[in-house]
Amino acid sequence: MDASELLLTRQSTPRLTTPAPNEQQLDFILNAAARVPDHGALTPWEFIIATDAGLETLAEIFVTAAKSKGADETFLTKVKGMPHRAPMVITVVAKSQSHPKVPLLEQQLAAGCATMAMQQAAFSLGLGAVWRTGDFAFNSVVNQGLGIATEDQIVGFLYIGTPAVKAPIKPLKLGRQFARYL
């Protein structure tokens, strides 16, 4: 797949199955993330990878967080299954650093770029991925369970696996409809 095709056909793949990326594919995905724009070379990100038993641990963290908010049993059952929607979930964390020239927002955007690069890298390998956030990305119980410092921020949960179905390519959105000249 060339770069043009990747950029114009990439899409989220919410229905994922095994296998997860192998070690070589995962290295490619993580290396792509590390190449994103990074003002000051701060590498303001951390990638927490969950597979196999790690998915169950992530599910337990989500359940604990949901219980702390008073969730009912129906919702807790749903929450327990969330990490199992894919054979791999990478939690992407923006790691805040005090810097005189690189504000916090720019560091969070760099972590977001890393997430997008990982999704594109997975897509280029014939894998599927979907970037999810939701309440758990902003939950202190989830942060504590994952060992994330209070000043840091989850920017997303990247679910990666093999597409369960061949999804049709969505119609191209013309970028000019969102552009204007000064």
Side-chain angles (χ1 to χ4, degrees):
M1 173 179 297
D2 68 19
S4 296
E5 181 183 4
L6 171 63
L7 292 171
L8 295 179
T9 63
R10 184 235 47 97
Q11 61 188 28
S12 295
T13 312
R15 294 188 58 204
L16 301 164
T17 188
T18 57
N22 62 36
E23 289 302 312
Q24 182 181 9
Q25 291 170 321
L26 181 59
D27 283 343
F28 175 74
I29 290 166
L30 295 172
N31 290 342
R35 292 290 302 171
V36 301
D38 175 17
H39 186 188
L42 298 179
T43 59
W45 49 68
E46 178 181 32
F47 311 126
I48 303 170
I49 302 164
T51 60
D52 303 318
L55 294 172
E56 190 56 37
T57 300
L58 186 58
E60 291 169 14
I61 292 168
F62 284 0
V63 167
T64 301
K67 283 181 179 177
S68 76
K69 300 286 185 183
D72 64 23
E73 284 302 316
T74 302
F75 187 67
L76 293 175
T77 300
K78 177 183 176 183
V79 165
K80 187 161 181 56
M82 289 169 65
H84 299 283
R85 294 181 199 166
M88 177 181 285
V89 178
I90 301 176
T91 303
V92 182
V93 182
K95 303 289 286 180
S96 303
Q97 300 173 42
S98 179
H99 194 280
K101 293 184 180 179
V102 186
L104 174 62
L105 176 61
E106 194 171 338
Q107 295 176 49
Q108 291 172 334
L109 290 170
C113 288
T115 309
M116 180 64 182
M118 285 192 284
Q119 187 185 38
Q120 287 181 316
F123 190 80
S124 77
L125 295 170
L127 297 166
V130 61
W131 178 353
R132 299 181 187 273
T133 51
D135 292 341
F136 292 131
F138 307 96
N139 186 297
S140 62
V141 174
V142 173
N143 284 4
Q144 184 179 17
L146 292 172
I148 298 170
T150 55
E151 65 272 10
D152 297 335
Q153 176 61 54
I154 295 171
V155 297
F157 302 97
L158 188 64
Y159 289 66
I160 304 176
T162 301
V165 296
K166 177 76 173 158
I169 300 297
K170 294 178 183 175
L172 179 66
K173 294 177 186 173
L174 299 177
R176 281 198 176 269
Q177 69 184 341
F178 309 106
R180 66 183 177 104
Y181 291 98
L182 287 180

